[in-house]
């Protein structure tokens, strides 16, 4: 039996009342900002002590910079929803980059403190600046690797065994794409590279399992235009992820309809004896019974071979 929370239509049993739902977002923002400020305070405290920053004006400058960085991701996200220009895109890129680099630096500095304390206990003395420098270097190299890794997606080969698989499907290649996050940072050019990688695999089918978009405004049709070059004789299928619900499911669907991708919104298609089931990601504040959704699919046969697409 399959039992996971999924979409529930407004008004059905299990939906979260609007009053409670309206309280969730401010509470989430409060928690997120608290974590960000706590992490940035750790960075401030560590940099001051590891590198002996004593002058008041230098400490004040560092505190001001870290305060701006702490709120930058939320501020840039809000600005990017108001306007789309070079400044808003650049600000969003820098703040997003810092969100990852800052987390890496915070983690490295925390380990540096642990290592320094251990060194003091074992050796009796140690240089603070050495541990701070090591943490900064580690964070820099790891962030550089992370950026390179994000722009160079890798192909992972998996062998999937399915009971009662029709002979026509044995040994065939399917490609799954997930979490591409097209938007202000990764655009159509990035997707062109992915499409080239996919076509090189000569797949029979392609599955796009959510978070194709990253909550961006603008011309979504231009972002997904490279999908028109996909070569998959038995079809390209798309289901929504959580980011499509942030962006707007209908806006996502409208963009995908300009491509060969077929949208599966709690639907099933049978392709040469293989049941392909696509379950949509739940809208915020909604839930329902996963098994019931599948059981209600017209023509679904639990004894036949199936592939379930769901963004987790």
């Amino acid at each position: 039996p399959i039992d996971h929370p999924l979409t529930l239509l407004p008004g059905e049993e299990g939906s979260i009342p609007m009053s409670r739902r309206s309280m969730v977002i401010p509470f989430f923002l409060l928690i997120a900002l608290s974590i960000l400020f706590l992490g940035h305070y750790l960075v401030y405290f560590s940099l001051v002590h590891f590198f002996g920053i004593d002058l008041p004006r230098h400490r004040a400058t560092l505190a001001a910079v870290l305060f701006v960085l702490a709120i930058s991701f939320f501020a840039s996200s809000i600005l990017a929803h108001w306007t789309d220009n070079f400044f808003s895109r650049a600000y969003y890129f820098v703040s997003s980059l810092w969100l990852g680099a800052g987390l890496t630096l915070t983690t490295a500095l925390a380990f540096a403190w642990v290592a320094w304390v251990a060194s003091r206990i074992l050796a009796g003395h140690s240089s603070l600046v050495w541990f701070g420098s090591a943490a900064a270097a580690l964070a820099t190299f790891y962030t550089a690797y992370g950026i390179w890794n994000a722009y160079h997606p890798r192909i992972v080969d998996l062998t999937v065994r399915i009971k009662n698989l029709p002979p026509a499907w044995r040994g065939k290649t399917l490609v799954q794409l997930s979490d591409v996050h097209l938007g202000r940072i990764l655009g159509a050019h990035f997707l062109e590279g992915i499409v080239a990688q996919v076509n090189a695999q000569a797949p029979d089918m392609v599955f796009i399992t959510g978070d194709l978009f990253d909550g961006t405004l603008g011309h979504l049709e231009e972002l997904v235009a490279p999908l028109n070059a996909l070569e998959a004789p038995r079809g390209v299928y798309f289901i929504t992820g959580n980011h499509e619900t942030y962006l707007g499911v209908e806006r996502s669907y409208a963009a995908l309809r300009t491509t060969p991708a077929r949208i599966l919104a709690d639907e099933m298609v049978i392709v040469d004896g293989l049941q392909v089931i696509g379950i949509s990601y739940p809208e915020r504040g909604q839930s329902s019974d996963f098994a019931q959704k599948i059981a209600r699919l017209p023509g679904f046969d639990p004894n036949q071979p199936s592939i379930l697409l769901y963004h987790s």
Side-chain angles (χ1 to χ4, degrees):
I2 303 172
D3 186 17
H4 290 286
L6 274 184
T7 305
L8 186 70
L9 296 176
E12 293 187 39
E13 182 182 356
S15 60
I16 299 176
M18 186 62 68
S19 59
R20 285 178 56 194
R21 203 181 310 168
S22 62
M23 295 172 58
V24 170
I25 295 178
F27 179 74
F28 167 78
L29 290 177
L30 179 62
I31 295 298
L33 284 172
S34 298
I35 294 172
L36 284 172
F37 278 115
L38 181 62
H40 282 76
Y41 176 76
L42 175 61
V43 172
Y44 170 82
F45 179 85
S46 299
L47 294 180
V48 166
H49 287 81
F50 278 133
F51 298 104
I53 303 175
D54 296 324
L55 292 178
R57 67 175 181 274
H58 290 169
R59 289 192 176 195
T61 300
L62 177 62
V65 169
L66 290 173
F67 176 83
V68 171
L69 289 174
I71 63 173
S72 62
F73 182 73
F74 286 99
S76 66
S77 298
I78 294 171
L79 177 64
H81 276 81
W82 283 347
T83 181
D84 185 15
N85 52 45
F86 174 79
F87 174 77
S88 63
R89 285 174 176 266
Y91 184 31
Y92 185 84
F93 178 85
V94 171
S95 63
S96 298
L97 179 61
W98 171 250
L99 192 65
L103 175 61
T104 302
L105 179 60
T106 303
T107 305
L109 290 171
F111 278 113
W113 278 115
V114 173
W116 178 78
V117 170
S119 177
R120 290 278 295 180
I121 294 174
L122 296 176
H125 61 84
S126 58
S127 172
L128 274 172
V129 68
W130 190 93
F131 287 92
S133 299
L138 176 63
T140 299
F141 283 116
Y142 190 78
T143 298
Y145 167 75
I147 295 172
W148 183 91
N149 188 58
Y151 282 96
H152 296 81
R154 295 182 301 276
I155 295 171
V156 178
D157 294 315
L158 300 174
T159 298
V160 179
R161 302 186 184 279
I162 301 178
K163 184 180 179 181
N164 299 329
L165 189 67
W169 280 107
R170 292 173 187 169
K172 299 299 183 180
T173 298
L174 312 181
V175 171
Q176 178 198 10
L177 300 175
S178 190
D179 297 79
V180 180
H181 289 282
L182 300 174
R184 298 179 184 90
I185 296 177
L186 301 176
H189 179 70
F190 177 74
L191 184 58
E192 287 175 0
I194 290 181
V195 168
Q197 285 182 284
V198 171
N199 288 340
Q201 308 307 306
D204 280 76
M205 281 199 298
V206 173
F207 303 135
I208 305 174
T209 52
D211 283 7
L212 178 62
F213 301 105
D214 195 37
T216 184
L217 299 178
H219 303 291
L220 303 184
E221 295 82 4
E222 297 176 4
L223 288 176
V224 298
L227 294 180
N228 289 297
L230 278 175
E231 299 170 2
R234 285 170 168 161
V236 178
Y237 299 92
F238 171 84
I239 62 165
T240 57
N242 52 298
H243 274 259
E244 277 75 37
T245 67
Y246 308 152
L247 172 66
V249 170
E250 288 306 318
R251 292 191 62 224
S252 303
Y253 285 167
L256 266 296
R257 291 187 184 106
T258 66
T259 75
R262 174 168 178 176
I263 299 166
L264 295 181
D266 298 341
E267 297 174 87
M268 180 187 73
V269 294
I270 300 177
V271 185
D272 294 340
L274 181 64
Q275 297 180 137
V276 179
I277 302 165
I279 301 296
S280 299
Y281 194 86
E283 296 281 353
R284 282 172 287 180
Q286 298 178 355
S287 62
S288 69
D289 188 86
F290 199 102
Q292 287 184 6
K293 277 188 174 291
I294 296 176
R296 288 197 297 261
L297 294 172
F300 171 69
D301 185 349
N303 296 314
Q304 295 302 311
S306 305
I307 291 180
L308 173 63
L309 309 178
Y310 176 63
H311 183 91
S312 177

